[in-house]
Amino acid sequence: PESRKYTGLVEDCCCDYETVDALNQEVLHPILQELVATPFFRYFKVKLWCDCPFWPDDGMCRLRDCSVCECPENEFPEPFKKPFHRLSSDDLICQEGKPQATVDRTIDDKVFKAWVEIDNPWTYDDETDNAGMTYVNLQLNPERYTGYVGPSARRIWDSIYKENCPKGPPGELCPERRVLYKLISGLHSSISVHIASDYLLDEVNNKWGQNLELLYDRVLRNPERVKNLYFTFLFVLRAVTKASDYLEQAEYDTRHVTDDLRTQSLVRQLVYNPKLESACPVPFDEAKLWKGQNGPQLMQQIQKQFRNISALMDCVGCEKCRLWGKLQVLGLGTALKILFSVDGQNRLAEPLQLQRNEVIALLNLLNRLSESVTSVREMGPAAERLMEGR
Ligand code: FAD
């Protein structure tokens, strides 16, 4: 049998590494890959301006591989569209002048009868505010290496770790703060894994491929980062399964009847999966948290910190990184909303309500994490052999 570096239970979770790998490979990864390509899940509504609330724009917006290709008008589903309004060309701040980057700032307004307009207390963006929103086809804008490095990127990560989710001395962090740190670190690992999996190897010939050295240096060398990736994956998976009834009954209408039926069926396969239910029925046990006396105050503090992290995404000086940063932080915010909207007895404080965009972010985030877990399993041993033999 293959020798494994990571064994036993994923820390603070209820399933072991072997089970997570097997479930991901056999069940979750194939379903998620197909799901995120469906018309419902591939269009993400996002405000891409660089309007950082913390410091002035540092002029990083024009990197070549950073630009986002937004949707041409005829591309995205009719129900996402009306009513629409256009902004002037002055608004195209971060856009490159490529034809395929044509911007359609068409806005929808409550056209999905089954979807609510509701704000998420964990995020900085007002999810009900449609001004300046645009649609991006995520399939055309893969998360990968963009060349966004240096002080601008460093400042964001530093600000996140130092001010908003400090790791604290070992053993001293309360479980709730430890969860926040691990979620951010796991997301950071996932972003690094995507950079390593799809890296610009040769700029002259535009050749892309794997960068094992980067994977090792940024993630594998520090096993805690791999563990946090698995933790974040299980946390988000738990949120998806906890919201199973909601997700199963939601409306996935994009006027592409066959595709929409397939979307519904894939969601059902994901949230009511017999293999998942028998091998890892509760991927993360949120009922253990918020038990302390100061639960409500702690919740408020952590919510505020997470909102700050969400606001920091507007400071990311590379449009494509900002797109995926915003999507994934909204996805995490949605997972937090699903798992932590509870009263003192760990009962849901109010019936769960999710926005369409939150659901799109949540499942695209789960897919990204699932891809990262796959990449670590597939590329990890080769990267370790290469780098440890250096
Ligand atoms: P960084 O990844 O910037 O890490 C900074 C420091 O954080 C490290 O020195 C280490 O101390 C700590 N650290 C690193 N990883 C972890 C972890 N998993 N857990 C805890 N601490 C950790 N670049 C792209 O090419 N494509 C993208 O799509 C992309 N998206 C981004 C999204 C966001 C929100 C941000 C802030 C940056 C993004 N970047 C992206 C930039 C990328 O994340 C790196 O910042 C950049 O490549 C420089 O890497 P680095 O080696 O300086 O280390």
Side-chain angles (χ1 to χ4, degrees):
E2 169 196 4
S3 77
R4 295 189 57 93
K5 184 156 179 184
Y6 299 93
T7 52
L9 284 183
V10 176
E11 197 185 67
D12 292 331
C13 289
C14 313
C15 318
D16 57 47
Y17 288 95
E18 295 85 335
T19 307
V20 178
D21 278 337
L23 275 174
N24 187 39
Q25 199 181 344
E26 288 162 29
V27 180
L28 302 171
H29 189 68
I31 296 175
L32 286 164
Q33 290 280 298
E34 195 183 340
L35 190 63
V36 295
T38 60
F40 183 89
F41 281 102
R42 70 174 174 248
Y43 299 100
F44 181 59
K45 192 171 82 171
V46 62
K47 203 187 279 184
L48 285 174
W49 315 140
C50 329
D51 46 4
C52 172
F54 302 108
W55 53 77
D57 168 39
D58 49 14
M60 289 290 289
C61 287
R62 293 186 182 280
L63 291 178
R64 190 191 72 161
D65 294 309
C66 274
S67 69
V68 166
C69 159
E70 297 176 45
C71 298
E73 192 169 354
N74 57 2
E75 189 191 310
F76 56 81
E78 200 63 30
F80 283 43
K81 268 188 186 173
K82 298 162 215 149
F84 68 89
H85 83 145
R86 248 169 225 293
L87 301 176
S88 78
S89 56
D90 295 343
D91 293 316
L92 311 183
I93 315 167
C94 294
Q95 288 295 310
E96 257 193 348
K98 302 188 287 197
Q100 71 268 36
T102 322
V103 179
D104 188 328
R105 302 197 182 279
T106 305
I107 313 288
D108 72 335
D109 181 18
K110 231 179 161 176
V111 284
F112 277 74
K113 24 185 198 329
W115 290 99
V116 289
E117 293 269 296
I118 190 164
D119 192 33
N120 183 332
W122 291 88
T123 56
Y124 170 78
D125 284 324
D126 177 358
E127 278 79 26
T128 64
D129 174 13
N130 280 324
M133 291 285 194
T134 184
Y135 280 100
V136 174
N137 181 339
L138 298 168
Q139 296 283 302
L140 298 181
N141 296 282
E143 185 188 30
R144 60 177 180 177
Y145 171 78
T146 60
Y148 179 50
V149 290
S152 171
R154 183 51 72 99
R155 179 156 63 168
I156 313 265
W157 288 122
D158 280 355
S159 173
I160 291 178
Y161 288 119
K162 289 201 183 116
E163 292 154 32
N164 297 301
C165 69
K167 191 177 176 198
E172 277 186 26
L173 220 53
C174 68
E176 293 80 6
R177 290 197 188 283
R178 199 164 66 224
V179 165
L180 182 64
Y181 172 77
K182 285 171 31 157
L183 289 177
I184 295 301
S185 169
L187 174 61
H188 193 169
S189 300
S190 180
I191 291 173
S192 302
V193 171
H194 278 89
I195 297 172
S197 309
D198 204 355
Y199 193 83
L200 183 58
L201 299 170
D202 175 354
E203 210 163 321
V204 179
N205 299 305
N206 201 27
K207 188 166 169 277
W208 292 76
Q210 296 177 349
N211 184 335
L212 295 181
E213 190 174 343
L214 193 148
L215 178 68
Y216 183 83
D217 283 343
R218 296 216 190 154
V219 184
L220 305 179
R221 187 160 57 174
N222 191 333
E224 187 201 83
R225 296 184 186 169
V226 175
K227 293 178 182 174
N228 292 342
L229 168 67
Y230 276 77
F231 173 83
T232 306
F233 181 47
L234 288 180
F235 185 93
V236 176
L237 182 61
R238 167 65 187 146
V240 168
T241 54
K242 188 165 184 179
S244 56
D245 290 348
Y246 193 93
L247 294 172
E248 202 258 337
Q249 286 159 25
E251 186 176 311
Y252 298 100
D253 170 27
T254 64
R255 309 280 150 87
H256 296 88
V257 178
T258 320
D259 285 331
D260 295 343
L261 284 171
R262 184 74 190 137
T263 309
Q264 189 90 50
S265 150
L266 287 163
V267 169
R268 205 170 296 135
Q269 287 173 45
L270 182 70
V271 298
Y272 297 133
N273 193 284
K275 282 193 181 156
L276 180 62
E277 275 162 29
S278 69
C280 183
V282 184
F284 169 80
D285 184 7
E286 70 283 359
K288 286 192 187 142
L289 298 173
W290 315 112
K291 294 280 195 208
Q293 288 241 304
N294 61 349
Q297 293 96 303
L298 186 61
M299 172 86 80
Q300 272 184 359
Q301 285 167 10
I302 293 186
Q303 205 168 67
K304 189 165 161 230
Q305 287 171 323
F306 193 81
R307 264 204 304 272
N308 265 334
I309 294 172
S310 161
L312 274 165
M313 294 302 111
D314 282 329
C315 307
V316 174
C318 151
E319 200 174 35
K320 200 191 280 178
C321 312
R322 193 172 330 123
L323 163 69
W324 283 102
K326 287 192 130 188
L327 179 143
Q328 296 183 97
V329 169
L330 176 60
L332 278 184
T334 306
L336 288 161
K337 171 170 151 180
I338 294 170
L339 296 182
F340 293 163
S341 298
V342 288
D343 61 16
Q345 272 72 48
N346 251 307
R347 287 187 300 246
L348 268 187
E350 51 194 49
L352 180 65
Q353 288 202 303
L354 298 174
Q355 275 233 55
R356 189 185 74 227
N357 220 34
E358 290 178 319
V359 170
I360 292 171
L362 180 70
L363 287 160
N364 272 282
L365 167 64
L366 186 64
N367 178 56
R368 292 274 118 182
L369 296 165
S370 152
E371 286 177 352
S372 295
V373 166
T374 301
S375 299
V376 165
R377 195 181 53 82
E378 288 178 356
M379 293 161 58
E384 272 163 359
R385 270 197 306 277
L386 179 77
M387 301 308 291
E388 282 162 10
R390 246 190 319 200

